[in-house]
Every structure is written in C-alpha cells, then in structure tokens.
Amino acid sequence: MKNKDSRGHVRGESLFLDDINVRQGTLCGLVFDSPIAHGKIKNIDYSEAEKLDGIVKILTHNDIPGENQIGGIIPDEPLFAEDEVHYIGQPIAFIVADTLSIAKKARKLIKVEIEELPVITTAKEAFEKGLFISPLRKFELADTTKAFEDCNYVFEGETFTNGQEHLYLETQGSYAFPLENGNIKIISSTQGPTQVQKTCARVLGLSMHNIEVEVIRLGGGFGGKEDQATPWAVMAALGVKVLNRPVKIILERHDDMRMTGKRHPYSSRFKIGLNKQLKIIAFEAEFLQNSGAAADLSPAIAERTLFHATNSYFIPNVKVTVHSCKTNLPPNTAFRGFGGPQGMFVIEAAIAKASDKLNVPAYKIQEANLLADGDEFPFGQIAEHVESQNSWKQATTHFNLPEEERKIAVFNQENTHAKKGLAIMPICFGISFTNTPMNHARALVHIYQDGSVGISTGAVEMGQGVNTKMLQIVAMAFGIDPDKVKIETTNTTRVANTSPTAASSTADLNGKALLKACELLKDRLENVVQQKLKLNPETSVSFKENSVWVDGKKSSLGWKQLVMEAFLKRINLSEHAHYATPQIHFDKSKEKGHPFAYHVYGTSITTVTLDCIRGTYEFDAVEIVHDFGQSMNPGIDLGQVEGALVQGIGWLTMEEISYDKNGRLLSNTLSTYKVPDIYAVPDKVEIVPLETEGNEMAILKSKAVGEPPLMYGIGAYFAIQNAIRAFNPNSRLKFDAPFTPEKVLLSLYEQN
Ligand code: MTE
Ligand code: LUZ
Ligand code: MOS
C-alpha cells in the first residue's frame, strides 16, 4: 500500500501546524533569548519594547504560576532564565504581540546587561574542568586489563564526530488557545504530546487533565521534537493562561537553529587488542559527550552509546565509559540513532586503525569478529536470532565483493588524479526504549454503525509512514478496504500517558496495541456471527474482502451488515487496548539486563571516487542488505533506509556544525551549513531485503526501520579514508568527522 500521505503532500493539501485556521484575536509569540553564552544577568530593561504599539505583554519567569522548570530526566532547565544564562539562544522572555513584525521590533529594543563568565564549548574542556550533567556510566564485560596483556597487537587512538542539525522542514512551533473553565488546548508539532502536556501542567501549576495536546503531523522531527518541541508549547500555553487569549508561535529558521540543540558531538578515545587470527580480544573506549548546557535527553543518549559501543561484533573483554559533559551550547538532544551512531563510529575507527597498522583490509577484521547467536553483549543480553554473519555473507556475495575490489584496484592503477575507496559497514541496532518503563502504548478503535472505523494511537506521523502502517493493521485485521479506516489525530484526551514517537518503536508498540484492540472487537463480532448464522462453536469465522467467511468460504453476511447487527444487539463496538513489551528488563545498578526486544541487522558496501585535485568526492554506490524482518510496507521501509542512509552520509561528510569560542553558532544558515541534496545521493543505492523469518516481537514480524540504516552512512567516512590512502600513502589516518572536501584535500597532500 502506498503511503496514505503522499497524495496530500504532493498536492500541498496535507495540514501542518501552520495551516490551521486560528481563532480571531490570536496573538503572536516570539522568544527573546540570551545573546551571551554564559553570564550573570545584571539588568534587563523591557520598557522601550513594552511601549511599542501592538505589544500585549512580555512574559518572563516572574509570570510563571507553577515551576520554572522543563527538565525531563533531570530538573536542570528553566523555561526562562532567571539570574544566569548558559548558552546563546537560551530563552529569557516571551514577547506576545499582535503581529510578528511588531514582536521582532520589540525584541531589538530589549536591553540586557550580562556579566560574562567563562564559556566552554567542547566536551574535552568541560571534562578537564570536571563539569558534568550526570554521573558517568560504565559497561564492563570480563577483564580488559588482563586481556590486553594476552593480545598480540594493541592500538590506541582518538576520534571526534561532530553534531548534526535536524533541519526538519517544518520548524518548531505551537498554537494554544483557552477552553472553558481554565482548561487549555495546545496544537503542537511534537513527537511527545504527553511530554508537552505534563510539562505545561508543571509550569502552569495545573493538572494534566487541564491540558489537551493535539498533533496532526510533523514536517519532520528526526529526534529534534522528542523533547525540544516542549518549551514553545509551554510558552504559548503560558500566554493563554496569563492573557486568556489564543497564542501562536512558529520559530523562524534562524531562531530555530540558534535556540535548539542538535546531535551530540563526541570526543572519544579507544584501545583495541587483537590476536594473530584478527580476533578482537579486548576493547576499551571512553566517550566524552558534549551535552550542552542542560541534561535534556543526554543521559539516555549516553546510555545508548554504550549499548552500541561494540556494534555488530562479539568482543569478549570490554570496558566502555561515557561522560555527559556540560558546556555552554544549547542542550543537545535526540537525533536519529540516539547516541548509537556515535558509539559505532568509534569501534569502526578502532578497526580501521588496526587494519592500517597490520596492513590487512578492515573487512577482514570486521568479518572475523561478527556477532553470533549465544554471544553476550557487554550489557548482559544474550544475542538471539543474530543476522550479522547472514547479512554480511549475503551482501558480499550478492554484490560480489572480490569483483568490486578488483575493479577498484584496476581503477586506482590506471588513474593518477582520481582514486576509489571501499568500506563495509555492518550494523546492529537495539530496538526498545533503553528506559524499560517507556515501552508501552495504547490504541482506541471505534467501529461506527455503518462499518467504517476510526482509530487513535499514541503514534505521531512525522514522515516515517507510521499512520499508513496503523491503517494497514486495521484493514488487515477486519478484512476491510483501507478507505473505510480513518486515522485520527494524536490527542492526549483519546490516548493518554504516551511515550514519545521515538526509538524506532512506534509502529511496534502502537501497532501491537492496535492489533490487540482489533482482535478483541473481532472476538465480539465473531460471537454475533455464530448466533446470527447459527454456527456451532468449532466453525472458523474470519473477515476478508469486506465480508464474513465461514470455514474458509465467503458467506452472504457482509461486514457492514454484521456491524449493524452487532450494534442493534447493543454490542460494544469500541475498544481501548494496551501493549507493553514483554521480557525486557535492565538493572542500572549492575548495568546488566535484557533491554532490547530484538536487534536490527544489515551490511552495506560503500564505494567512493575522489577527485584528488579538488578534494571533492562522489559516492558511486551504496549496496545494502538490510534486515527488514518481513516488511509490512516495502515502499515505506525502502524510503526509510534511503533517507536514513543519506542523512548518515550527510553527518559524516558535509554537515559541519560550527560554534565560535564565544559559543555563537556560525553555521546558522543553509549557506554555511551544507546538507545533502540530490547531488549528494550516491549514484546507485541498491537495497536488498535480507531473507529471514522476521521476529515475533516486531509488529507482524516487520522490524523497526526508522533509525538503524542511518549507520550505513558511517561506511562513507571510511571509504573516503581508503581512497585518500590510495593517492597518498603518507597521509595520517584521521577519525575526525565530517570528512569535508577541505579536510580531504589537506589529507591528500599532507606529508607525514
Ligand atoms: N522519517 C521521516 N520522514 N521523518 C522523521 O522525522 N524520524 C526518524 C525516523 N524516520 C523521521 C523519520 C526517527 S529519529 C525515528 S526515532 C523514527 O522515524 C520514529 O518513527 P518510528 O518509530 O515510527 O520508526
Ligand atoms: N528516546 C528515548 C530514544 O527516550 N529512549 C531511547 O532509548 C531512544 N532510542 C532511540 C531514539 N530515541
Ligand atoms: Mo528518534 S532520535 O528516536 O526521535
């Protein structure tokens, strides 16, 4: 089935937050933010701004009736700065005006005096000064110290991966308006409607039932709206509470880029030990996460880095630690992969280093260490239904690795100023929120008396196609046409206490709840069929092609007629079901457990051609064997792999976040921050589904697909490195992403 949104998107008919007709008298909100990255607020003078015609009110922390606190995991983030500021872009006040242009004029008239304090922008500096967001975390398997002594080879190195701007097409925003009796409704572009509801209640001094949050769809989230859609919604709601008028805020792109956090930059160190057979015997890594000025989701992201520190390999002795370092940047946040990619880059860098020193291709080391059933992850989970070796074999045979290598060798021999490089990237990504209590969802299904169906879940559509998948589940369960099923908006009054749409688990969690609701309704309807057709209880009843089937044969009873029959018999045609992932657990005091329902596997082969005069490059091909399980929607899932791959390549090759030493974002426009465009897409992207059984823990055996393929992009980095080496064997290995053409050029002509 096609993505049900594609038609509306292409025709411009799909509704986003900014398309909603607002109520008469809706006011416009604009954030006044800190111009200084760290300091004490001495004085703020709003008087000139307040004098402007059309300024309704400038709200500050003094106007907050509840708590001035929006921190989710750790309460360390005020909605509005009080005495101190900790990053450029930190909200200080919320200007509410008749129009945006007046609000913008007012913003320029606010005078703020700040006594400046030292600014820290890198994780390393923060680490040296002992500035942390939360205590360090450490995963250990067996004994690395002893194991290194037994290794034939031991190598160490350092890596850096930069941040990444989410660049969702639709910027952050929300629209809030008063309901009766002091209640407030918020329409938000958030991945986490419950998070918005809960935080609004906290800041406004209300209860959660006073706040209704509704989400239509997002123009992209990519993790950037898991936690960071909340402040704008709270500000708009605060405006409603104080002024009793509707308030809307949509961030302009510059404001969005300056004020919001990004993927976490990581500075890391590794130590890897191997034996003569190229088995990795021991691995240590220390990750310094640049968390920014407040926790946001950083501790959870740090945790996922550790969960993926050994990627798709079994290593018998492991010690990995992560430090969440506090800096004067906007709080960094969730971004597709959630710390996993940062962890996986480091083990791949360690393997690249070993390959270089031992003069064997990296893939020989990778292949010798692939995970197998029964292996233990450093966090205690025993690997089951592992597809590492399977996907590796299918990729290297299907795409004929020896032939690819031969072609590259010939090309490199024949060309002086163009060189090719190849890298293989196996992936292994754990599915479930690593915070076990978050793995649950609910769904509400109404069968209307005419046989049409309306469904609500906690899932937020943000382009990943989850609504289409939900629709398929219901159409399949009831055996009715998809156009008889309507997906309602995501709304906290219909489905409550939801986890955010994140961790690639949305279709699994919400889909399983939805399927359960449908099954319960089907049981009731089957009873009606038994009675109506006077069947004995053993007769099998099923629903297909808008009809009731009895013992595998189509009966004269149609779906619509059956529903009416049930309605007249006063049967309940609505169901609200709950699903919680079974079997998972994790004990943080021991750092051991079984946190993931399953893993997603795959292997990619990336080839690149370098222009050794300009330092530019083009990816010839990315060939992937990916573990979809049994995909319930190949069109959507292929799109997810392609999009994630290109986003991953962007992160590692061209997207260069840059802050100056005063904490000012330099890469704050699309002319200074380069994202992949159509020309950056590899000439050939071929995705072959891995042939497997699928996994029972996945919805209809269709595995989660949103985040894992981003990590195929890591292959791009190492392919470039290999091509550079073919041109200049003297260049030093570097693990400093992104590998921009500028850095490539320097490496090409570097003499060691
Ligand atoms: N695809 C599109 N088009 N837009 C997005 O914002 N977000 C990604 C991924 N794919 C995203 C996307 C991220 S970060 C996650 S966690 C998953 O979708 C979330 O959706 P799922 O759980 O339904 O896979
Ligand atoms: N969000 C979260 C996530 O809160 N917990 C997770 O484990 C996670 N994983 C991936 C993406 N978002
Ligand atoms: Mo995705 S980073 O879990 O929103």
Side-chain angles (χ1 to χ4, degrees):
M1 184 184 167
K2 268 199 188 141
N3 188 323
K4 70 175 266 294
D5 274 348
S6 45
R7 186 182 158 87
H9 281 7
V10 169
R11 293 164 63 95
E13 290 167 355
S14 303
L15 292 183
F16 295 85
L17 174 68
D18 206 15
D19 298 318
I20 297 165
N21 287 324
V22 295
R23 289 188 185 177
Q24 205 165 20
T26 293
L27 300 169
C28 194
L30 184 74
V31 178
F32 170 67
D33 59 302
S34 176
I36 298 290
H38 191 196
K40 285 202 167 71
I41 299 178
K42 288 291 158 198
N43 186 47
I44 310 183
D45 180 3
Y46 295 106
S47 59
E48 290 298 312
E50 278 165 344
K51 271 188 223 150
L52 274 189
D53 225 17
I55 292 296
V56 180
K57 188 151 173 77
I58 298 179
L59 298 161
T60 69
H61 67 92
N62 290 318
D63 298 292
I64 291 177
E67 253 186 285
N68 182 20
Q69 184 52 250
I70 61 168
I73 299 179
I74 299 171
D76 67 350
E77 189 178 359
L79 179 67
F80 295 126
E82 295 190 16
D83 308 321
E84 289 185 357
V85 287
H86 294 273
Y87 63 93
I88 291 177
Q90 181 175 0
I92 296 176
F94 187 58
I95 305 162
V96 186
D98 288 335
T99 68
L100 183 61
S101 65
I102 293 165
K104 281 186 176 172
K105 264 189 205 148
R107 181 157 81 173
K108 290 199 187 117
L109 296 174
I110 299 173
K111 293 186 202 80
V112 58
E113 272 174 56
I114 294 173
E115 181 191 318
E116 295 192 32
L117 292 168
V119 173
I120 291 178
T121 59
T122 67
K124 276 188 181 172
E125 285 170 88
F127 180 77
E128 277 155 22
K129 296 205 157 66
L131 298 169
F132 301 109
I133 290 284
S134 52
L136 71 89
R137 295 282 298 274
K138 175 159 62 168
F139 286 7
E140 252 180 307
L141 183 66
D143 185 349
T144 47
T145 313
K146 206 175 140 292
F148 276 122
E149 288 169 11
D150 301 335
C151 290
N152 299 103
Y153 317 107
V154 176
F155 308 107
E156 294 183 63
E158 283 191 35
T159 71
F160 177 76
T161 49
N162 208 334
Q164 186 175 22
E165 165 65 42
H166 299 87
L167 217 91
Y168 21 65
L169 284 180
E170 178 203 34
T171 56
Q172 304 272 6
S174 85
Y175 166 48
F177 50 91
L179 301 174
E180 295 176 324
N181 305 320
N183 297 317
I184 296 171
K185 179 160 176 175
I186 302 165
I187 305 184
S188 167
S189 175
T190 179
Q191 293 173 234
T194 293
Q195 195 57 29
V196 167
Q197 181 193 23
K198 189 170 152 187
T199 312
C200 274
R202 179 185 195 180
V203 175
L204 269 52
L206 296 172
S207 299
M208 283 172 77
H209 74 295
N210 298 124
I211 312 278
E212 172 181 349
V213 179
E214 163 134 323
V215 183
I216 309 168
R217 62 160 63 71
L218 316 188
F222 306 109
K225 295 170 181 171
E226 183 173 335
D227 225 33
Q228 299 209 356
T230 303
W232 334 107
V234 179
M235 288 176 203
L238 178 68
V240 172
K241 170 98 173 139
V242 173
L243 302 164
N244 198 31
R245 285 179 65 180
V247 178
K248 180 171 160 180
I249 171 175
I250 304 275
L251 269 62
E252 289 195 340
R253 185 65 69 182
H254 270 117
D255 283 5
D256 189 306
M257 288 176 91
R258 182 176 70 255
M259 293 178 191
T260 64
K262 315 186 186 306
R263 183 189 291 286
H264 293 74
Y266 272 60
S267 298
S268 311
R269 285 200 309 221
F270 63 79
K271 184 173 173 186
I272 187 169
L274 303 92
N275 70 12
K276 291 232 157 77
Q277 289 73 45
L278 301 180
K279 285 271 182 204
I280 305 172
I281 303 299
F283 178 65
E284 285 182 359
E286 184 179 54
F287 301 99
L288 305 187
Q289 176 196 60
N290 187 335
S291 311
D296 191 270
L297 293 163
S298 294
I301 291 161
E303 181 179 72
R304 199 175 262 280
T305 301
L306 298 188
F307 282 121
H308 294 90
T310 54
N311 188 14
S312 205
Y313 310 109
F314 173 65
I315 305 177
N317 299 277
V318 178
K319 183 164 85 184
V320 285
T321 43
V322 61
H323 305 268
S324 294
C325 305
K326 188 172 165 153
T327 60
N328 299 108
L329 301 183
N332 285 315
T333 193
F335 197 134
R336 210 170 194 170
F338 206 74
Q342 291 96 319
M344 283 159 65
F345 182 83
V346 176
I347 178 73
E348 294 303 327
I351 289 171
K353 176 110 183 200
S355 120
D356 186 62
K357 294 282 176 195
L358 299 174
N359 206 16
V360 294
Y363 65 76
K364 291 248 152 73
I365 302 176
Q366 293 172 309
E367 191 178 11
N369 292 281
L370 291 171
L371 200 67
D373 271 12
D375 286 341
E376 185 178 349
F377 286 103
F379 46 93
Q381 181 157 348
I382 303 300
E384 296 167 314
H385 313 296
V386 177
E387 303 286 0
S388 288
Q389 299 177 9
N390 199 7
S391 71
W392 180 282
K393 273 192 209 105
Q394 287 194 30
T396 50
T397 46
H398 187 279
F399 298 114
N400 201 347
L401 179 66
E403 176 60 15
E404 294 257 345
E405 276 214 286
R406 196 192 58 79
K407 279 202 258 173
I408 289 175
V410 171
F411 181 92
N412 287 348
Q413 195 110 56
E414 287 174 352
N415 290 274
T416 328
H417 287 102
K419 296 290 176 190
K420 285 186 189 288
L422 174 147
I424 306 191
M425 182 66 200
I427 62 155
C428 166
F429 194 80
I431 301 302
S432 288
F433 287 94
T434 58
N435 182 25
T436 305
M438 290 171 81
N439 294 284
H440 60 89
R442 278 150 305 285
L444 175 66
V445 178
H446 298 311
I447 304 176
Y448 296 103
Q449 51 188 291
D450 68 352
S452 63
V453 179
I455 62 173
S456 301
T457 71
V460 168
E461 176 60 55
M462 48 186 184
Q464 86 279 40
V466 71
N467 278 357
T468 305
K469 290 185 177 178
M470 294 304 107
L471 199 139
Q472 282 179 274
I473 289 167
V474 177
M476 182 216 62
F478 293 152
I480 58 176
D481 295 337
D483 67 1
K484 284 284 174 288
V485 185
K486 176 170 176 233
I487 311 278
E488 303 292 352
T489 55
T490 315
N491 186 302
T492 54
T493 65
R494 271 180 269 117
V495 178
N497 304 320
T498 59
S499 292
T501 284
S504 306
S505 308
T506 318
D508 278 358
L509 297 173
N510 292 274
K512 291 226 174 202
L514 186 57
L515 196 55
K516 208 159 139 190
C518 293
E519 295 298 337
L520 290 164
L521 286 161
K522 269 166 69 174
D523 282 350
R524 275 180 224 147
L525 291 170
E526 266 173 45
N527 274 337
V528 176
V529 175
Q530 304 265 6
Q531 285 173 29
K532 164 114 181 130
L533 300 182
K534 303 198 171 57
L535 305 174
N536 68 40
E538 282 88 70
T539 319
S540 93
V541 172
S542 56
F543 303 99
K544 268 191 303 197
E545 298 168 17
N546 304 305
S547 288
V548 176
W549 292 56
V550 176
D551 275 340
K553 282 195 217 74
K554 193 170 180 170
S555 76
S556 59
L557 186 59
W559 165 263
K560 203 169 160 171
Q561 196 191 344
L562 168 65
V563 169
M564 182 50 79
E565 192 79 24
F567 175 71
L568 294 174
K569 282 186 184 303
R570 296 182 292 165
I571 301 293
N572 177 7
L573 291 174
S574 294
E575 193 55 60
H576 190 181
H578 169 84
Y579 174 78
T581 313
Q583 292 165 29
I584 52 172
H585 56 89
F586 194 72
D587 181 348
K588 277 196 190 176
S589 68
K590 298 196 176 73
E591 300 287 30
K592 296 284 178 197
H594 186 105
F596 297 118
Y598 58 88
H599 283 81
V600 169
Y601 298 89
T603 300
S604 68
I605 305 176
T606 304
T607 45
V608 70
T609 306
L610 278 192
D611 177 330
C612 302
I613 294 176
R614 295 177 183 82
T616 53
Y617 43 78
E618 266 181 47
F619 293 98
D620 309 325
V622 180
E623 299 162 323
I624 300 173
V625 169
H626 184 78
D627 168 23
F628 294 97
Q630 301 277 316
S631 173
M632 66 180 289
N633 193 317
I636 286 176
D637 287 355
L638 283 172
Q640 283 293 294
V641 177
E642 289 170 357
L645 168 71
V646 173
Q647 205 165 29
I649 292 177
W651 172 47
L652 288 157
T653 63
M654 64 179 74
E655 298 185 42
E656 195 168 32
I657 301 254
S658 173
Y659 289 94
D660 70 12
K661 63 182 191 331
N662 300 316
R664 184 173 308 279
L665 181 67
L666 300 175
S667 51
N668 67 346
T669 69
L670 288 183
S671 58
T672 50
Y673 185 75
K674 178 88 186 92
V675 288
D677 54 19
I678 192 67
Y679 302 106
V681 174
D683 291 342
K684 172 182 166 205
V685 176
E686 194 177 334
I687 301 153
V688 177
L690 181 75
E691 284 169 30
T692 95
E693 288 287 288
N695 193 299
E696 287 297 340
M697 299 281 264
I699 178 70
L700 303 174
K701 297 192 175 183
S702 178
K703 283 190 171 183
V705 69
E707 295 169 286
L710 181 129
M711 283 147 272
Y712 293 131
I714 294 173
Y717 188 93
F718 295 97
I720 292 175
Q721 180 121 279
N722 290 338
I724 292 173
R725 277 313 190 74
F727 180 79
N728 176 10
N730 292 327
S731 72
R732 280 175 304 123
L733 276 195
K734 282 180 204 69
F735 306 114
D736 179 13
F739 227 144
T740 56
E742 186 183 1
K743 287 187 200 160
V744 170
L745 198 60
L746 289 171
S747 283
L748 284 169
Y749 295 97
E750 157 185 82
Q751 288 308 322
N752 220 346

Short mmCIF file of all heavy atoms in Angstrom, two decimals, residues 191 222-223 226 334-338 462 501-504 707, ligand 3:
data_model
loop_
_atom_site.label_atom_id
_atom_site.label_comp_id
_atom_site.label_asym_id
_atom_site.label_seq_id
_atom_site.Cartn_x
_atom_site.Cartn_y
_atom_site.Cartn_z
N GLN A 191 6.96 15.31 18.91
CA GLN A 191 6.98 13.84 18.89
C GLN A 191 6.43 13.31 20.21
O GLN A 191 6.15 12.11 20.31
CB GLN A 191 8.42 13.33 18.71
CG GLN A 191 9.03 13.65 17.36
CD GLN A 191 10.50 13.27 17.28
OE1 GLN A 191 11.33 14.11 16.95
NE2 GLN A 191 10.86 12.03 17.58
N PHE A 222 12.94 13.82 13.42
CA PHE A 222 14.28 13.22 13.47
C PHE A 222 14.87 13.22 14.88
O PHE A 222 16.08 13.19 15.04
CB PHE A 222 15.24 13.91 12.48
CG PHE A 222 14.70 13.93 11.07
CD1 PHE A 222 14.26 15.10 10.49
CD2 PHE A 222 14.59 12.75 10.35
CE1 PHE A 222 13.74 15.11 9.20
CE2 PHE A 222 14.06 12.75 9.06
CZ PHE A 222 13.64 13.93 8.48
N GLY A 223 14.03 13.30 15.89
CA GLY A 223 14.51 13.35 17.28
C GLY A 223 14.48 14.77 17.83
O GLY A 223 14.40 14.98 19.03
N GLU A 226 11.50 15.41 20.04
CA GLU A 226 11.17 14.46 21.09
C GLU A 226 11.03 15.20 22.41
O GLU A 226 10.10 14.99 23.17
CB GLU A 226 12.24 13.35 21.18
CG GLU A 226 11.89 12.28 22.21
CD GLU A 226 12.85 11.08 22.22
OE1 GLU A 226 13.48 10.80 21.20
OE2 GLU A 226 12.93 10.42 23.27
N ALA A 334 18.01 14.32 21.19
CA ALA A 334 17.81 13.12 20.37
C ALA A 334 18.04 13.44 18.90
O ALA A 334 17.62 14.50 18.42
CB ALA A 334 16.39 12.59 20.56
N PHE A 335 18.70 12.55 18.21
CA PHE A 335 18.81 12.64 16.75
C PHE A 335 18.98 11.22 16.24
O PHE A 335 19.90 10.52 16.67
CB PHE A 335 19.99 13.51 16.32
CG PHE A 335 19.93 13.96 14.87
CD1 PHE A 335 20.18 15.28 14.53
CD2 PHE A 335 19.60 13.07 13.85
CE1 PHE A 335 20.11 15.70 13.20
CE2 PHE A 335 19.53 13.47 12.53
CZ PHE A 335 19.78 14.79 12.20
N ARG A 336 18.09 10.82 15.36
CA ARG A 336 18.11 9.50 14.70
C ARG A 336 19.35 8.66 15.05
O ARG A 336 20.45 8.97 14.61
CB ARG A 336 18.03 9.73 13.19
CG ARG A 336 17.35 8.61 12.43
CD ARG A 336 17.10 9.04 11.01
NE ARG A 336 16.18 8.15 10.32
CZ ARG A 336 15.65 8.41 9.13
NH1 ARG A 336 15.94 9.54 8.51
NH2 ARG A 336 14.82 7.58 8.56
N GLY A 337 19.14 7.65 15.83
CA GLY A 337 20.24 6.79 16.28
C GLY A 337 20.54 6.98 17.76
O GLY A 337 21.01 6.07 18.42
N PHE A 338 20.29 8.21 18.26
CA PHE A 338 20.23 8.48 19.70
C PHE A 338 21.52 8.06 20.41
O PHE A 338 21.48 7.32 21.39
CB PHE A 338 19.03 7.73 20.27
CG PHE A 338 18.43 8.29 21.52
CD1 PHE A 338 17.67 9.45 21.50
CD2 PHE A 338 18.58 7.65 22.76
CE1 PHE A 338 17.07 9.95 22.66
CE2 PHE A 338 18.00 8.15 23.92
CZ PHE A 338 17.24 9.30 23.86
N MET A 462 5.44 11.61 11.34
CA MET A 462 6.39 12.69 11.03
C MET A 462 7.11 12.45 9.71
O MET A 462 8.24 12.89 9.51
CB MET A 462 7.37 12.89 12.18
CG MET A 462 8.03 11.65 12.72
SD MET A 462 9.00 12.13 14.17
CE MET A 462 9.79 10.59 14.57
N THR A 501 6.99 9.44 20.15
CA THR A 501 7.25 8.69 18.91
C THR A 501 8.75 8.75 18.69
O THR A 501 9.30 9.78 18.31
CB THR A 501 6.45 9.32 17.76
OG1 THR A 501 5.10 8.92 17.92
CG2 THR A 501 6.95 8.84 16.40
N ALA A 502 9.40 7.65 19.02
CA ALA A 502 10.86 7.64 19.04
C ALA A 502 11.37 6.21 19.15
O ALA A 502 10.58 5.27 19.24
CB ALA A 502 11.38 8.45 20.23
N ALA A 503 12.69 6.09 19.16
CA ALA A 503 13.36 4.81 19.35
C ALA A 503 12.96 3.79 18.27
O ALA A 503 13.09 2.59 18.48
CB ALA A 503 13.09 4.27 20.76
N SER A 504 12.46 4.29 17.16
CA SER A 504 12.02 3.44 16.03
C SER A 504 10.93 2.45 16.41
O SER A 504 10.59 1.56 15.63
CB SER A 504 13.21 2.66 15.41
OG SER A 504 14.23 3.53 15.06
N GLU A 707 15.56 4.22 12.49
CA GLU A 707 16.90 4.72 12.78
C GLU A 707 18.06 3.87 12.25
O GLU A 707 19.06 4.42 11.80
CB GLU A 707 17.08 4.87 14.30
CG GLU A 707 16.18 5.91 14.93
CD GLU A 707 16.21 5.80 16.44
OE1 GLU A 707 15.60 4.86 16.99
OE2 GLU A 707 16.84 6.65 17.07
MO1 MOS B 3 14.23 9.28 17.08
S1 MOS B 3 16.06 10.01 17.65
O1 MOS B 3 14.08 8.24 18.43
O2 MOS B 3 13.23 10.55 17.52
#
